[in-house]
Amino acid sequence: MRSLKKYKVLYVMMLPAIAYYILFHYVPMYGAVLAFKDFQLMKGIWNSPWIGMHHFMYAFSDPVFLQVLKNTIIISFYKLIFGFPVPVVFALLLNEVASAKFKKLAQTISYLPHFISWVVMAGIFMSILSIDGLVNSVIKLFGMDPVLFMGNEQYFRLILVLTEIYKSFGWGAIVYFAAISGINGELYEAAIIDGAGRFKRVIYITIPMLAPVMAILLILSMAGILDAGFDQIFNMYSVNVYRVSDIIDTYVYRKGMVEMKYSYATAVGLFKSVVALIMIVTVNQVIKTMGGKEHALW
């Protein structure tokens, strides 16, 4: 009570955020009971009959869902493995540039794709990669046959990963720019006196100082490990690449919004959320064990 009285202004400022999370994040959790019910529209959520784990058992016996789960895991891990280091490398390289004007220009240009919706970005990439697009025009100049990139299973996952990296790496590097700017300059001065070059300063000072930030962002990224990118894939995929690009989110959309199987769609979505919770807790514990509490989220 003493703390509440002392910091009452700060607590009042917190009220809108608390209200937001209660109304839009906690109250909707009531709908999760649909995963264990045979939802009937006329009876409503509460009066619909309970059927236990039926939807979950059906999902894991459905070969389509198993393929969707496989696609989600593959695409998510590709984006994590290849996309996570790019903002770090970009921040490290840009930090070594002497010109302040060039740094600001490069940062601004790298941020811009983040603010463009996937509806627009998908249209741009589909135009560039179409049969008559820029890439195929270059291919034709070398006497080769054009390739239908957006309709080819062999290339589609690669396109998803590359376009995701292009859109997000600049925005993801902001945290690393902030962390680098907070490193004590005396460390670099001491290293220069000891004869350390640019590369050694990056290896022995910058990267170790960034390690806690990298660990925390890695833990947070685990929460979305099964979020392979609904907006991106929904706007870019087609029937030709369903086999390699259909993910849990697009599957839930079809089952829930198109086929109106609300209970089944809720069960699949709840499964994804539980997996994300398990992953974030597990990775946090692993990082805490390997690097100490200062590298973990909690």
Side-chain angles (χ1 to χ4, degrees):
M1 293 301 294
R2 193 181 311 130
S3 174
L4 184 62
K5 185 177 180 180
K6 183 178 179 181
Y7 301 107
K8 59 183 177 182
V9 176
L10 296 179
Y11 284 116
V12 170
M13 292 173 64
M14 286 175 58
L15 287 178
I18 294 172
Y20 165 78
Y21 276 97
I22 291 174
L23 290 174
F24 297 103
H25 290 269
Y26 284 93
V27 172
M29 285 185 182
Y30 165 70
V33 299
L34 279 176
F36 308 96
K37 290 195 168 198
D38 180 17
F39 178 67
Q40 298 175 17
L41 188 62
M42 300 304 295
K43 292 184 178 181
I45 296 177
W46 188 252
N47 293 321
S48 296
W50 293 90
I51 57 173
M53 303 295 289
H54 172 77
H55 294 305
F56 295 94
M57 292 186 290
Y58 175 77
F60 283 99
S61 63
D62 182 10
V64 176
F65 172 74
L66 296 179
Q67 180 64 41
V68 165
L69 179 60
K70 177 184 174 182
N71 292 340
T72 306
I73 293 172
I74 291 174
I75 294 172
S76 296
F77 272 97
Y78 278 175
K79 288 183 176 181
L80 179 64
I81 292 170
F82 297 107
F84 186 80
V86 174
V88 182
V89 175
F90 176 67
L92 292 174
L93 292 175
L94 203 57
N95 183 58
E96 297 301 316
V97 175
S99 173
K101 289 184 178 180
F102 180 80
K103 281 185 180 181
K104 292 179 180 179
L105 178 63
Q107 288 177 354
T108 302
I109 293 173
S110 67
Y111 298 160
L112 289 178
H114 173 79
F115 298 100
I116 302 175
S117 71
W118 270 116
V119 176
V120 177
M121 293 294 286
I124 294 172
F125 289 126
M126 291 175 75
S127 297
I128 294 173
L129 297 172
S130 66
I131 289 293
D132 299 320
L134 176 63
V135 176
N136 275 311
S137 297
V138 174
I139 290 175
K140 291 175 184 178
L141 289 176
F142 290 92
M144 295 183 288
D145 294 328
V147 179
L148 183 61
F149 290 101
M150 301 302 292
N152 192 318
E153 294 182 354
Q154 183 180 353
Y155 299 109
F156 194 74
R157 285 177 179 166
L158 176 63
I159 292 170
L160 290 178
V161 175
L162 293 178
T163 52
E164 173 67 24
I165 292 173
Y166 169 76
K167 190 175 188 298
S168 62
F169 83 95
W171 185 256
I174 291 177
V175 177
Y176 299 111
F177 287 132
I180 290 173
S181 65
I183 298 175
N184 192 341
E186 293 179 357
L187 295 174
Y188 293 108
E189 293 173 4
I192 292 171
I193 293 172
D194 290 338
R198 284 179 177 268
F199 182 74
K200 286 189 176 181
R201 294 200 297 271
V202 170
I203 296 296
Y204 294 108
I205 298 177
T206 310
I207 292 179
M209 296 298 287
L210 288 179
V213 177
M214 293 168 62
I216 290 173
L217 291 179
L218 178 61
I219 294 169
L220 292 175
S221 67
M222 289 297 107
I225 192 63
L226 293 184
D227 291 330
F230 173 80
D231 289 344
Q232 178 193 22
I233 294 175
F234 186 75
N235 285 288
M236 293 180 69
Y237 78 162
S238 63
V239 177
N240 294 335
V241 292
Y242 263 13
R243 193 178 68 86
V244 297
S245 64
D246 196 17
I247 59 172
I248 289 178
D249 288 337
T250 53
Y251 180 74
V252 168
Y253 169 80
R254 286 201 311 277
K255 292 296 181 181
M257 302 302 294
V258 179
E259 300 179 20
M260 293 188 292
K261 296 180 179 178
Y262 302 115
S263 293
Y264 180 68
T266 303
V268 175
L270 184 60
F271 162 75
K272 189 186 82 166
S273 300
V274 171
V275 171
L277 177 62
I278 293 172
M279 288 296 296
I280 194 172
V281 172
T282 302
V283 173
N284 184 77
Q285 189 60 41
V286 170
I287 290 177
K288 185 187 293 184
T289 303
M290 296 176 61
K293 292 183 178 180
E294 67 275 8
H295 290 78
L297 193 58
W298 69 85

